[in-house]
Amino acid sequence: MMQYKDTICAIATAAGNGAIAVIRISGSDSYGIVDKIFFSKSGKKLNALKANTIYFGEIKSEGKVLDEVLVSLFRAPHSYTSEDSIEISCHGSVFIQQQILQLLVKLGARLATAGEFTMRAFLAGKMDLSQAEAVADLIASQTQAEHSLAIQQMKGGITTEIQRLRDLLLNFISLIELELDFSEEDVEFADRNALSDLIVRAEKYLKTLIDSFAQGNAIKKGIQVAIIGKPNVGKSTLLNALLNEERAIVSEIPGTTRDTLEDTMIIKGLTFRFIDTAGIRHTTDVIENLGIERTHQSIAKADIVILVSEPNAPGFELMMQISDILNLNKKLIVAFNKIDVQSSHLIDTVFENDYKTVYISAKNRKNIEDLQNALLDFSDYNNLNSKDIIISNLRHFDALQNALQAIERVREGLETHISSDFLAQDIRQALHYFGLITGQITTDEILGNIFSKFCIGK
Amino acid sequence: MMQYKDTICAIATAAGNGAIAVIRISGSDSYGIVDKIFFSKSGKKLNALKANTIYFGEIKSEGKVLDEVLVSLFRAPHSYTSEDSIEISCHGSVFIQQQILQLLVKLGARLATAGEFTMRAFLAGKMDLSQAEAVADLIASQTQAEHSLAIQQMKGGITTEIQRLRDLLLNFISLIELELDFSEEDVEFADRNALSDLIVRAEKYLKTLIDSFAQGNAIKKGIQVAIIGKPNVGKSTLLNALLNEERAIVSEIPGTTRDTLEDTMIIKGLTFRFIDTAGIRHTTDVIENLGIERTHQSIAKADIVILVSEPNAPGFELMMQISDILNLNKKLIVAFNKIDVQSSHLIDTVFENDYKTVYISAKNRKNIEDLQNALLDFSDYNNLNSKDIIISNLRHFDALQNALQAIERVREGLETHISSDFLAQDIRQALHYFGLITGQITTDEILGNIFSKFCIGK
């Protein structure tokens, strides 16, 4: 693909001043361009130096020293992009970073677009498309769970099995298409029983992956939690107790405190996102009339609902609320608040298996951990180190659903003994959607969509 | 200095998510520590690999892959710190950066303090103290002028000549001290005429350096500009015209727009800082009574004063103002505003050589460039590429002043033929202050002060 061979450059490290910054250059002219501005101690030209080695020297612009830098040399195909490429490690002043970048551009390099280095790696066959997508997820990962998902995907988690299914299906389809060549002779080269076994296996695998999306998506986007309950029951205090608990977990390493999004809590590497908290925080009696409608909206958006109640609330009314929420198919935690000031009478336990109950004091931060554990229990957080593959990418989810439909048509076709050409058509459909995931089938539009979500420099 | 040999680590790239991030490790155990978490493709241990080379592999924590990284290996003494050191280039997720850092700390590395890598380089003799200080300036540099100063200093600009003077003075003092051993014989080993020549040379050099501080400091801190003038003369419009002019200079390279400090303008690589602009922007008649006092304060703080006046303002009153400002020893630009709506009558030019005059329309952005050129002319911005050495460091300024005083005492001593022991004492004093600049004489306190201003990771 010659159109990708021009030389691109970008600042690869985070924006702003740091001790050092790294500028990445990739493409056929990398060495030629950098040679014009980099002067090694030995005076040797870059082409005379070995790949995978590091050299100290000066970047000069019009005879003036711009910086003292290290350059790391990579040679095609043994680089990230599979092209000749160079990384310049300079002093981390934004001014210097920009000056070097401008020099490179002046000498003929082009500023890389978002994700262009990784796109080149994909186009060169260094990774499949789902692995390339995982690179962006990896960089964006903020929690243990997101990170595990991304690593799993980057390591080929989803594509290994899809590739295997694809190869097996390809084998069948070549046999079936052979049958079509001999269609007047009514032969069957493709063993229908073996194909049927394969289809069952594919169907099962696809369903498992599709089912995993709810969990993967929750990990990636955060698990939506709605806190509901009557006025003055302590919703706002509970929210603060939950969030402050989190904020109190100060990392032991100085400088490691990350920016916490407001109203977001991370428990054991999982992100919980409290929704519509503005409403909770600013609730007054005046606007309480709007409450019912808004509560319904919150519940609809939530993965998990925390219903806050006083321990001595009327049992019947509470059971009605619980029933309503469970009817909406939501995971429910009933949090009896103010246990240290009100006597609790245990509630009717008709649905006891369908929701969790905790007894807390939000004000005095009592048993908040029970509530956190209940959230964790509800979050289906299987250990991501297990072999279970979890998908978190909407594009994969769509392709897998389409693949499953095609596979189901194949199964039905086998059951109803449809003709080989229809069978072949459905298998081709399934292969198409498999190919979309791995990137064996792709379009500029798909690639554009995927890589535009990357940061520049990767 | 054994106490500095423990192994330190830090994130060396700017804070936040980027395509990649670099974690730096330096000290005796660097290889041992990284070996426990880094697994190269070849399976080789780090000790079996060559220095100044780069390897691809995985960082693992408890058997789980944390990231795919590149490690760059450096071996003592051929590294920045002069110790064994390693740079890990990982995916730029903050989560991953923190995880790797925590792993290193768990395995025995210590988090580096600010500037600790550079302090080690200094202590190992890789650079003198003034060069080490220049590293911090280089990283902080935001303009061409700041950058040039820092590069000049990093290249040994100030210390080369000081070192030469120091060596020559050391030669003399050893001869003079020899005379003291033979004091009863009244011999003169040290040629007083040659010493006198050297002292004159030193005095001249020190004075030049000391004089350059005003300019160096202005470059580093920005040149302070006060805009003064009567109410409604157009001060606020002028300020906006100046600042908007600057903001309109959009870099050709996307993503290169730097954060501009409010009320700061960069012209040809020099920073101009407009002072007390809040007053200008919010001036109303009500608070105008406070104006005189505040105007005086602004003038006192300024390097350059822009006096805004209407072209047809009463000439006598204006001349009084001009005279007042010049008496305060300030550089003055008289800006006649509203030239497109008022007829200008040329003012009396009694002091014409002492200030600059421009005729502008702030509202219509007319001749704003003339004003900018006047600011530039007044900023003593000699081309920093010339051989003139400019100091910008307050610590150097102090030491140079003290050194000059000692040198002046030596000169006076030579003139009055004081005894050799007093002469020796004054020369020793000068040598002491020279040593403070280069770091040949230092204390933990001085080092602590200097390196605490660095960023972590450098």
Side-chain angles (χ1 to χ4, degrees), chain B residues 107-343:
Chain B
L107 291 170
R110 176 172 62 71
L111 288 164
T113 57
E116 196 169 4
F117 294 93
T118 306
M119 180 153 77
R120 290 185 176 201
F122 161 69
L123 291 171
K126 282 259 168 179
M127 51 181 82
D128 70 36
L129 196 53
S130 123
Q131 289 175 310
E133 287 170 297
V135 172
D137 288 349
L138 191 64
I139 289 170
S141 68
Q142 295 191 327
T143 65
Q144 183 68 56
E146 285 175 79
H147 171 264
S148 298
L149 279 191
I151 283 279
Q152 189 191 54
Q153 189 177 325
M154 198 172 76
K155 289 290 182 187
I158 175 173
T159 43
T160 313
E161 177 68 5
I162 283 185
Q163 196 56 49
R164 201 175 299 138
L165 291 173
R166 197 171 186 269
D167 290 344
L168 292 169
L169 283 174
L170 274 173
N171 183 39
F172 274 106
I173 206 165
S174 60
L175 293 174
I176 291 171
E177 284 175 349
L178 202 58
E179 292 172 11
L180 295 177
D181 292 341
F182 294 84
S183 56
E184 288 164 22
E185 299 171 39
D186 197 25
V187 291
E188 269 196 12
F189 298 115
D191 178 344
R192 291 301 187 269
N193 287 333
L195 177 58
S196 185
D197 288 350
L198 176 62
I199 292 299
V200 168
R201 173 175 153 195
E203 212 174 328
K204 191 175 159 211
Y205 182 68
L206 292 175
K207 277 185 178 159
T208 310
L209 285 184
I210 289 167
D211 285 348
S212 76
F213 180 68
Q215 191 186 349
N217 196 48
I219 288 170
K220 203 162 167 180
K221 308 267 184 206
I223 295 154
Q224 311 283 321
V225 181
I227 300 179
I228 63 166
K230 293 187 162 189
N232 297 323
V233 80
K235 297 189 293 296
S236 164
T237 314
L238 175 59
L239 179 65
N240 286 332
L242 281 167
L243 296 178
N244 287 331
E245 284 290 318
E246 162 63 13
R247 277 174 200 157
I249 302 169
V250 173
S251 170
E252 287 166 66
I253 294 182
T256 61
T257 324
R258 69 194 135 50
D259 292 321
T260 42
L261 288 169
E262 199 168 357
D263 299 345
T264 292
M265 174 176 69
I266 297 170
I267 313 174
K268 297 205 176 157
L270 268 189
T271 304
F272 293 87
R273 220 169 275 283
F274 296 96
I275 52 183
D276 295 333
T277 51
I280 293 177
R281 294 198 160 168
H282 303 295
T283 295
T284 65
D285 286 346
V286 184
I287 60 162
E288 206 55 52
N289 290 333
L290 299 169
I292 295 166
E293 171 67 8
R294 190 157 56 202
T295 299
H296 281 179
Q297 286 172 357
S298 297
I299 295 172
K301 279 187 272 180
D303 299 310
I304 301 175
V305 176
I306 300 176
L307 171 60
V308 189
S309 173
E310 301 193 352
N312 57 10
F316 176 74
E317 197 180 315
L318 185 61
M319 289 318 297
M320 287 296 290
Q321 286 182 292
I322 291 174
S323 164
D324 282 352
I325 296 166
L326 293 177
N327 281 338
L328 290 167
N329 236 335
K330 295 294 171 179
K331 293 168 180 169
L332 172 64
I333 300 168
V334 180
F336 288 104
N337 192 19
K338 309 187 184 177
I339 50 159
D340 42 3
V341 290
Q342 292 187 9
S343 61

Side-chain angles (χ1 to χ4, degrees), chain B residues 66 86 96 104-105 143 252 257 276 304-305 384 389 439:
Chain B
L66 182 58
I86 295 178
I96 291 175
L104 294 172
V105 169
T143 65
E252 287 166 66
T257 324
D276 295 333
I304 301 175
V305 176
L384 287 173
I389 288 172

Side-chain angles (χ1 to χ4, degrees), chain B residues 379-397:
Chain B
S379 61
D380 275 344
Y381 180 57
N382 298 318
N383 192 342
L384 287 173
N385 309 314
S386 74
K387 298 287 176 214
D388 294 342
I389 288 172
I390 292 168
I391 64 158
S392 61
N393 185 307
L394 185 60
R395 195 182 72 80
H396 300 173
F397 180 65

Side-chain angles (χ1 to χ4, degrees), chain A residues 17 33 79 88 132 213 238 270 294-295 417 434 455:
Chain A
N17 269 23
I33 289 170
S79 73
I88 299 174
F213 180 68
L238 175 59
L270 269 187
R294 190 158 57 202
T295 299
H417 303 283
F434 285 168
C455 56

Side-chain angles (χ1 to χ4, degrees), chain A residues 17 58 66 139 147 155 256, chain B residues 17 58 66 139 147 155:
Chain A
N17 269 23
E58 292 176 340
L66 183 59
I139 289 171
H147 171 263
K155 288 289 181 185
T256 62
Chain B
N17 269 24
E58 292 176 340
L66 182 58
I139 289 170
H147 171 264
K155 289 290 182 187

